[in-house]
Amino acid sequence: MRGETSGPEGRDESIGFRIARERKLRGLTQTRLAELVPCSKSLIAQVERGHKPATPALVAGVARALRTAPGTLTGQPYEETGRHQGRIHAAVPEVRRALLTWDLPDEEMPVRPVERLRADVAHASALGRQARYAQLGEMLPALLDELTRAARSADGSRRNELYALLSEAYTGATAIAYALGLLDLRGLAMERVAWAASESQDPLRVARTQWQRATLFLNTASYDKGLVLLERIRREIGDDPSRLSPAEISMYGAAHLRSAVFAARAANRPTALEHIEYAREAARYLGGDANHYGLEFGPSNVIMHHVAVAVELCDGTEAVRLAGQEPLPPSVAPVRLGHHYIDLARGWLYHGDRRKSFATLLDARRVAPQQTRNHPMVRETIRMLVQLDRRCSKPLSTFATWLGMH
């Protein structure tokens, strides 16, 4: 047995257990670690004992304080369990190779017409929206190789379009890396996204790259820097959505939504809610859900981010209230809906309804199984549900087995 617990979570060490181990290895007391994060000593103690789940904000804060990678605390990447997860991990070496050989295209490689490449990139993007990472990982390396060859041999407007397609395809690699918790691979993929976006000569694609880059600051608890970057994006686009194009509105609104998450992680409720309202106003100008540059911005995303902000602030009652106000349309991308259910499951747990929390995780598995299986907050939620369920019901045990927790 690797962990401090027994039962379904016994083989899988909790985040709290890892925090305690890393803290002790550095000779720190709980009080000193709390000062470095900063947070209350009581929170550190309760998370280490398994009485409270570790939030993403705490994981990032502790990782920064202990000068270690977040994956050291979450245990990512997780061991392969099951056919589909094995397929995801099996695709990673070739994806990494394609990222490393970005400036060494095969000069003898035949290149298909741009219409075929455009269709393949659209298919890759659709797989990402569906959180079908195994299938995406299998198709990406060859597509990246061919796009690299095509872009470097083209000129004029065709060259710009091919680099835009290459940037979008590289984004698929960032999605796989994020899902598996491979932060080094994600950083490498982000560099390639930024390079190809710059070569595309599309200012909005470059802005989208900066918006995507901001997520890296979440992992290091650098919330102030993330907010500065997102403000810069909005300033360059313009701060009056009534004067912006639909694609610019999406970029502007998405930057506000991400700023709301940053502010919530920093426990700044007023600022987080202010950003939500700015995004809501932008969504009204947009008139409905859209997917410019893969941003998935619109009224539905505002709703989901409002719920996420409440969860980040550990206000489960507000999260479930907000989630119940307006149903989400069936057009919401599975990757977004799955993430929403993962957030909402934590909200139900904070609210004190364990049955609803587990039911919402089942919803997440139904719409985005590969995403759900690899998300550290799913494991934390299941771990708490198992601990609170004295008899450890068969459905909980089965779900924990599906996650690979025993």
Side-chain angles (χ1 to χ4, degrees):
M1 183 179 299
R2 294 166 46 204
E4 61 179 353
T5 53
S6 58
E9 78 275 32
R11 205 188 79 180
D12 192 71
E13 296 171 348
S14 70
I15 292 176
F17 179 87
R18 293 189 180 95
I19 289 174
R21 179 177 60 202
E22 296 300 316
R23 172 181 62 78
K24 292 172 184 176
L25 285 172
R26 288 158 179 78
L28 298 178
T29 64
Q30 291 179 339
T31 299
R32 181 55 182 153
L33 177 57
E35 290 172 351
L36 292 171
V37 171
C39 64
S40 69
K41 185 258 186 184
S42 173
L43 177 60
I44 295 293
Q46 290 183 76
V47 169
E48 287 190 355
R49 289 198 298 267
H51 296 165
K52 271 192 175 181
T55 64
L58 183 66
V59 171
V62 170
R64 181 176 182 178
L66 297 179
R67 299 183 181 182
T68 190
T72 303
L73 305 179
T74 63
Q76 290 180 295
Y78 301 123
E79 295 177 4
E80 297 182 7
T81 57
R83 178 173 59 91
H84 292 294
Q85 190 167 0
R87 286 175 61 194
I88 299 174
H89 284 273
V92 168
E94 272 298 288
V95 171
R96 189 183 297 275
R97 179 210 49 81
L99 294 174
L100 289 171
T101 58
W102 63 281
D103 60 343
L104 299 169
D106 181 354
E107 303 295 345
E108 304 301 320
M109 175 183 289
V111 176
R112 292 173 296 157
V114 69
E115 293 78 13
R116 297 282 301 279
L117 295 174
R118 192 185 300 128
D120 276 4
V121 171
H123 180 54
S125 296
L127 290 175
R129 294 183 80 235
Q130 296 160 14
R132 296 171 63 187
Y133 300 121
Q135 297 89 330
L136 177 60
E138 288 168 353
M139 77 168 292
L140 264 185
L143 179 59
L144 290 172
D145 288 344
E146 188 174 2
L147 284 168
T148 299
R149 169 76 175 93
R152 286 185 174 274
S153 61
D155 54 26
S157 61
R158 181 59 55 86
R159 176 186 185 277
N160 292 347
E161 180 184 5
L162 285 165
Y163 272 111
L165 292 172
L166 181 58
S167 180
E168 188 172 343
Y170 278 137
T171 297
T174 72
I176 293 170
Y178 175 75
L180 297 180
L182 298 169
L183 298 185
D184 63 328
L185 183 63
R186 191 177 186 212
L188 176 62
M190 279 297 307
E191 291 178 6
R192 302 295 179 259
V193 171
W195 165 71
S198 176
E199 293 292 327
S200 76
Q201 306 296 311
D202 182 345
L204 270 184
R205 188 166 294 281
V206 173
R208 198 262 189 216
T209 299
Q210 293 303 302
W211 171 85
Q212 192 175 1
R213 172 192 170 201
T215 60
L216 299 176
F217 292 108
L218 286 173
N219 296 317
T220 57
S222 303
Y223 308 129
D224 54 343
K225 296 297 185 183
L227 286 168
V228 168
L229 176 59
L230 291 162
E231 184 197 5
R232 187 170 74 191
I233 293 170
R234 294 192 300 270
R235 186 172 61 248
E236 292 175 353
I237 293 172
D239 59 1
D240 184 355
S242 69
R243 296 175 178 270
L244 302 178
S245 70
E248 289 170 332
I249 291 174
S250 288
M251 189 69 258
Y252 168 88
H256 271 300
L257 290 181
R258 186 144 289 171
S259 293
V261 174
F262 272 91
R265 289 276 182 98
N268 189 335
R269 181 187 296 266
T271 299
L273 295 180
E274 183 180 25
H275 283 297
I276 290 291
E277 290 311 310
Y278 277 120
R280 199 185 310 278
E281 179 189 21
R284 283 195 291 268
Y285 279 106
L286 192 61
D289 293 338
N291 191 31
H292 302 109
Y293 292 89
L295 293 167
E296 304 283 354
F297 182 71
S300 298
N301 213 354
V302 174
I303 293 169
M304 291 186 286
H305 273 78
H306 202 172
V307 171
V309 162
V311 173
E312 293 292 350
L313 293 167
C314 298
D315 190 345
T317 300
E318 177 68 358
V320 300
R321 183 188 74 79
L322 291 168
Q325 282 187 330
E326 189 173 347
L328 295 170
S331 58
V332 172
V335 68
R336 284 298 314 141
L337 190 59
H339 200 288
H340 172 65
Y341 285 144
I342 291 168
D343 284 338
L344 186 55
R346 291 168 56 208
W348 279 113
L349 181 61
Y350 297 155
H351 183 61
D353 193 326
R354 302 197 299 271
R355 183 184 64 82
K356 277 283 195 179
S357 179
F358 182 57
T360 307
L361 285 182
L362 292 175
D363 288 336
R365 183 173 69 174
R366 173 178 53 81
V367 300
Q370 295 176 23
Q371 178 186 42
T372 302
R373 185 186 287 116
N374 286 284
H375 202 291
M377 290 303 106
V378 173
R379 292 180 177 234
E380 278 297 281
T381 303
I382 285 293
R383 190 173 284 110
M384 287 301 303
L385 291 174
V386 167
Q387 182 169 318
L388 293 169
D389 186 349
R390 294 180 180 178
R391 293 179 297 176
C392 188
S393 67
K394 179 66 174 177
L396 270 178
S397 179
T398 300
F399 197 98
T401 300
W402 177 73
L403 291 174
M405 293 175 67
H406 74 94

